[in-house]
Amino acid sequence: MAARSRFDTHEVFNQSPPYENVDLFASDGPLVEAVKANGGGGAGLMAALSAFGRHWGSAAMIALGREANENPPLLHAFDAKGFRSDSVAFHPAYHRLMGESIAAGLQASTWSESGRHAAAPSEVLRAARFYMTAQIETGHLCPITMTRAALAALAADPALLAKIAPKVLSRSYDPTLRPWWQKSGMTLGMGMTEKQGGTDVRANTTSATPNGEAYSVVGHKWFMSAPMSDAFLVLAQAPDGLTCFLLPRFRPDGSVNALRLQRLKDKLGNRSNASSEVEFADAFAWRVGAEGAGIRTILEMVQLTRLDCAVASAGLMRMALAQAVHHCRHRSAFGKRLIDQPMMRAVLADLALELEGAVALVMRLCRAFDRAADDAREAAYARLVTPAAKYWICKTAPAFIYEAMECLGGNGYVEESMLPRLYREAPVNAIWEGSGNVMCLDVLRALKGEAEADVAAALSHETGIALADGDAAGLDEAHPRSLVGKLALMASARALKASAPVAVADAFVRTRLTQSHATLYGTATLDPSVTQLLLQRALPEG
Ligand SMILES: Cc1cc2nc3c(=O)[nH]c(=O)nc-3n(C[C@H](O)[C@H](O)[C@H](O)COP(=O)(O)OP(=O)(O)OC[C@H]3O[C@@H](n4cnc5c(N)ncnc54)[C@H](O)[C@@H]3O)c2cc1C
């Protein structure tokens, strides 16, 4: 260390050591407690999460995350002779990350062999792993989340599900370009968004014409991520309306299906992940669910990817906060460590409190998914709180990460610190799978929908917001953001009461609900003992 720090011209000191070779689970007090509070607390389960946390927090895994983003995927639309190739080349680091996540079951561990939801607490345990993985590399989680969520939509066709599920449940990552039935494992993507409309998928113009037992699809998708997936859930207009299809890369006769990859998007962040523009030139596809039921069918999938957006955004926030606390523990200015400077303590503690609420909320939400099949109120909670959590946490993440970045000063603005990557990554979780306004409208829809009574009961039980008969119908469609923000905060407070120390839950309620929290962090007034507690829970010292 001494040799590394001595230069001809100066000596290097007062810099924080790299934040690496850490246990992403055991060092994260709020996560440990939220997992326990939501059913994941068995000793063996916690030990396994800790082993996972050490592995993903190793210097080697952090390096893979960096390499996968410094070497983004390349489209090979044609080969040297002008024949179509329609393939994407990824850096080996991306393949390693995919292999690791699939070996850990992030693409399927919430499903049983029969394609039903696996026993509780599978959702909580997977989310804890997903949260840790997101801290290291988020781009590859796009195909991982789509693969796990797609099975929910495929349930609309039990025969198709039975064929596909074993390949999805396999813990083997097989990136070869071969028919899925010849592979040791498969991944799934999704194509809904077209040029003329993404949110409003009813505007889709891609058509599907019956062709024997299957359909022939003609049209395009303006965004279709992970185009090297083995099959895609795609929306297209069939004779009886918008319908969901499974469109494989290879037709059943083994020939390459007619997907034409036009271009890869040049994106703000999410650079390890390939997001393509694609055309379908009479592509083969199986129908999933009834003709005309496309939106209902694919929403089963989207509910799960929305949950993952919230979990991943909380993960990005966690890595930013951990880096900030770690740095401030090692960096001094004006004769004191930054973490002992009163105003820096206020900023870090306020950030830590924000994240406490987010982690408690996503883990509570996962418990609802774990129990939804047997408990109508938990199902209603999942229906209502998923769009609210996705809205609130994904919208919070960019400003949160920006503030954490500033805690590292100039070092935080430089690529090696990882903070710029976290910052660039954050907005996409708010945009895809339904953007902010759309999430708010979805909360209103849940309040006015078929399960209105169950949803109102879940709302009142979890947040104390009581809607009288007829209130939901009169909710203001122009300003649901304040209602949905309040719902997310109240649900977070309730979740914190079940998982965190009373002092933390009380501080959250006081600074976020009783008082209104300013848009900038560090403005909440916290008791010094609560500040100390929050910082120690965020990252134990020593
Ligand atoms: C990196 C990346 C990868 C993606 N990958 C995929 C993929 O794999 N598959 C896929 O299908 N799509 C994918 N998408 C597309 C994404 O899901 C859409 O961009 C998103 O759903 C928004 O649709 P849009 O872009 O058409 O915007 P629009 O639908 O035009 O929406 C624009 C804005 O208007 C708001 N808005 C819409 N309706 C209303 C309303 N009624 N009231 C108030 N506000 C409203 C929205 O919230 C949004 O802020 C990806 C996007 C990105 C950025």
Side-chain angles (χ1 to χ4, degrees), residues 247-320:
L247 194 151
R249 278 198 70 86
F250 288 82
R251 298 185 189 93
D253 65 7
S255 61
V256 178
N257 204 2
L259 284 85
R260 309 279 185 251
L261 303 186
Q262 303 296 307
R263 196 160 61 144
L264 296 187
K265 303 285 191 187
D266 183 7
K267 298 175 286 185
L268 167 69
N270 196 246
R271 298 190 76 82
S272 67
N273 181 32
S275 300
S276 71
E277 297 163 15
V278 61
E279 290 182 10
F280 307 124
D282 267 330
F284 171 95
W286 290 287
R287 177 165 51 79
V288 181
E291 276 193 20
I295 296 179
R296 195 169 2 114
T297 305
I298 212 152
L299 271 179
E300 295 293 324
M301 169 180 189
V302 172
Q303 182 83 339
L304 293 175
T305 53
R306 286 176 180 169
L307 170 64
D308 277 355
C309 286
V311 177
S313 280
L316 293 170
M317 290 158 71
R318 164 67 196 169
M319 177 49 80

Side-chain angles (χ1 to χ4, degrees), residues 334-409:
F334 306 102
K336 250 192 204 170
R337 290 189 312 164
L338 287 176
I339 197 138
D340 296 324
Q341 302 279 4
M343 210 190 319
M344 184 58 93
R345 285 181 83 70
V347 171
L348 291 171
D350 205 9
L351 288 169
L353 188 53
E354 187 75 37
L355 184 56
E356 290 257 8
V359 174
L361 179 59
V362 292
M363 290 301 157
R364 168 66 186 91
L365 183 52
C366 287
R367 181 163 67 124
F369 277 87
D370 269 331
R371 295 178 175 189
D374 306 316
D375 185 331
R377 196 162 73 191
E378 291 292 323
Y381 180 95
R383 170 68 189 90
L384 176 71
V385 177
T386 302
K390 191 221 184 242
Y391 165 72
W392 185 255
I393 297 172
C394 298
K395 281 223 163 286
T396 301
F400 181 105
I401 295 167
Y402 151 68
E403 194 64 65
M405 174 191 288
E406 195 170 310
C407 296
L408 281 83

Side-chain angles (χ1 to χ4, degrees), residues 190 192-193 198-199 223 225 267 275 428 431-432 435 437-438 441:
M190 171 183 69
M192 295 199 285
T193 309
T199 306
F223 282 91
S225 289
K267 298 175 286 185
S275 300
V428 76
I431 293 174
W432 61 15
S435 309
N437 288 352
V438 177
L441 292 172

